[in-house]
């Protein structure tokens, strides 16, 4: 990576009341310093930069650790290197769809939950996504509060599974 080019994907971490952006080189040490409750890791995938950035800013305020990807192909590369609790992805993206990304995620790790976002309400896409293992299907324009509440339901479900596994 040369100077003048922003490293991608970027990691957005919430530290105290201030959001900070850390590039790949600084991520590991910064994330280790965070408490376990703040380490819910989300991969946010959307080809629309405005939506991706505004949703990332909103979710960072709730203490999530976010990595953003511009498309499904970039997300697949990131998933090979990092572990996530949740993937939040658009369905309609160039070249590789969100449905294909969902299948890839489930092949890698069945425990990773996926929330699908779509700019159009087509019940066939929702059914297909749910059959492939999506946790939920949300239509655009996104209600960020609804997304955040859905993420909290995913987090609670995963915490319950972890607790049950201990017993």
């Amino acid at each position: 990576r040369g100077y003048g080019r922003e490293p991608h994907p970027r990691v957005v971490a919430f530290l105290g009341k201030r959001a900070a952006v850390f590039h790949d080189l600084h991520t590991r040490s910064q994330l280790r310093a965070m408490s376990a409750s703040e380490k819910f890791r989300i991969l946010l995938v959307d080809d629309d930069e405005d939506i991706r950035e505004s949703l990332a800013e909103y979710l960072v305020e709730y203490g999530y650790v976010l990595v953003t990807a511009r498309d499904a192909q970039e997300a697949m590369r990131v998933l090979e290197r990092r572990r996530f609790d949740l993937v939040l992805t658009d369905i309609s993206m160039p070249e590789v769809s969100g449905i294909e990304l969902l299948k890839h995620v489930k092949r890698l790790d069945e425990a990773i939950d996926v929330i699908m976002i779509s700019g159009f309400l087509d019940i066939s896409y929702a059914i297909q996504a749910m059959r492939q293992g999506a946790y939920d299907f949300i239509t655009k324009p996104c209600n960020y509060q609804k997304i955040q509440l859905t993420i909290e339901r995913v987090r609670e479900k995963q915490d319950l599974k972890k607790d049950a596994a201990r017993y």
Side-chain angles (χ1 to χ4, degrees):
R1 296 180 183 174
Y3 290 100
R5 283 182 42 199
E6 180 180 330
H8 226 299
R10 67 184 192 178
V11 175
V12 183
F14 180 75
L15 300 172
K17 293 189 180 220
R18 206 172 115 195
V21 176
F22 300 99
H23 298 291
D24 292 354
L25 295 175
H26 306 289
T27 303
R28 288 188 192 108
S29 62
Q30 294 294 336
L31 293 181
R32 269 189 233 117
M34 297 173 72
S35 72
S37 66
E38 292 178 317
K39 288 186 179 180
F40 192 78
R41 296 162 306 242
I42 300 172
L43 176 58
L44 173 59
V45 187
D46 200 311
D47 59 321
D48 184 322
E49 184 177 3
D50 292 335
I51 290 174
R52 188 175 64 242
E53 295 301 318
S54 67
L55 183 54
E57 285 179 29
Y58 178 82
L59 293 174
V60 144
E61 294 297 321
Y62 288 91
Y64 303 116
V65 176
L66 289 164
V67 175
T68 61
R70 295 176 188 160
D71 56 36
Q73 291 170 318
E74 183 179 9
M76 289 175 184
R77 289 190 299 272
V78 171
L79 284 160
E80 298 295 329
R81 298 187 322 258
R82 292 193 172 111
R83 166 77 173 85
F84 294 92
D85 301 297
L86 174 68
V87 175
L88 183 61
T89 183
D90 189 13
I91 285 185
S92 179
M93 293 182 285
E95 297 184 39
V96 179
S97 74
I99 296 289
E100 289 304 313
L101 177 59
L102 168 64
K103 291 175 186 177
H104 181 81
V105 168
K106 292 301 180 178
R107 278 192 302 270
L108 283 176
D109 187 347
E110 190 68 34
I112 300 172
D113 286 297
V114 180
I115 297 173
M116 308 297 294
I117 301 172
S118 178
F120 49 93
L121 178 58
D122 184 338
I123 197 70
S124 66
Y125 282 115
I127 291 169
Q128 185 180 6
M130 300 310 270
R131 283 186 178 155
Q132 295 297 325
Y135 181 83
D136 205 348
F137 184 92
I138 297 172
T139 57
K140 293 179 185 176
C142 298
N143 176 327
Y144 288 0
Q145 287 179 329
K146 180 179 180 181
I147 291 173
Q148 195 273 325
L149 291 172
T150 304
I151 292 170
E152 280 305 307
R153 285 197 322 261
V154 167
R155 189 176 188 167
E156 289 171 8
K157 179 193 90 163
Q158 290 180 4
D159 286 347
L160 286 171
K161 279 187 175 184
K162 287 175 190 171
D163 290 345
R166 287 185 206 141
Y167 294 103

